Amino acid sequence: MASGALPPGFPPIEIDGEYYWDGGLYSNTPLEYVLDYSPRRSRLTFQVDVFQPAGWLPTNLDETSKREKDIRFASRTQSCTDAARDKHHVRHAINELHKLLPREIANTEEAARLYELGCVTEMDIVQLLYRPSEPEGYAKDYEFSRPSMERRWRQGLSDAQGALRASPWLAPMPKELGVRVFNMDEDFPAENVADRPNLSHKADAAVAERTAKTPSTLAEA
């Protein structure tokens, strides 16, 4: 019950004397727990995000509330992914550096502690981003009607099939990398996602240009 307790519609759920709301309030996609799970092994991880870093420019309070949720949760997802990627790159760098140390240094206690922080596992992260074909309103994070869920299921199935057809993670991992992040819209061939509803295919061109972005998206533009 706690995993579905979203305020203000639902109260927190008591578990062993502690009160819990939906974990998405803290981290909507807790990727770090997957990548850091012990014992750490090379993994292929699919990360599904239902909040968009870019979208329509709001024109009223209802659209503003919806856009605020997208920006808040999508920014958190991207920052968690970036942090996990950078941390694992450092682990690989530590492992490569340890190989270059002179024997007298490599055998020291300090070098041993450094080596424990290194890692040779390889991580591939596939990001699947839900992009609605029309504005969904401020209730999108708790609107679970049958038509809404079926629309999202259809798009999710299309995205997953496109990702599996492309399978870019099957290519060898470059030696200098410990993590690769594949974005559904940026890394996969267009023919694999042509049947997926998105802003550019469904919306008027003038509306498509009128987008509100997160700070991270603006920095890349």
Side-chain angles (χ1 to χ4, degrees), residues 10 26 28 33 35 37 60 62 64 68 73 80 87 89 92 94 99 111 126 131 158 169 171 182 191 196 205 208:
F10 296 94
Y26 174 74
N28 206 45
Y33 294 102
L35 301 187
Y37 186 83
N60 55 49
D62 181 75
T64 298
E68 182 270 334
F73 290 114
C80 288
K87 183 167 64 174
H89 283 335
H92 268 243
I94 290 173
K99 297 177 182 178
V126 181
R131 296 185 185 277
S158 177
W169 53 85
F182 301 102
E191 61 268 20
R196 184 172 59 83

Side-chain angles (χ1 to χ4, degrees), residues 112-152:
R113 290 202 305 268
L114 180 66
Y115 182 73
E116 288 298 318
L117 297 176
C119 189
V120 297
T121 60
E122 298 174 346
M123 305 293 182
D124 284 319
I125 303 169
V126 181
Q127 297 190 141
L128 303 177
L129 177 63
Y130 172 61
R131 296 185 185 277
S133 57
E134 59 186 37
E136 296 181 306
Y138 72 92
K140 63 165 290 182
D141 55 336
Y142 56 86
E143 202 280 281
F144 301 128
S145 67
R146 186 75 185 186
S148 295
M149 296 310 300
E150 288 182 343
R151 182 174 62 252
R152 297 179 187 185

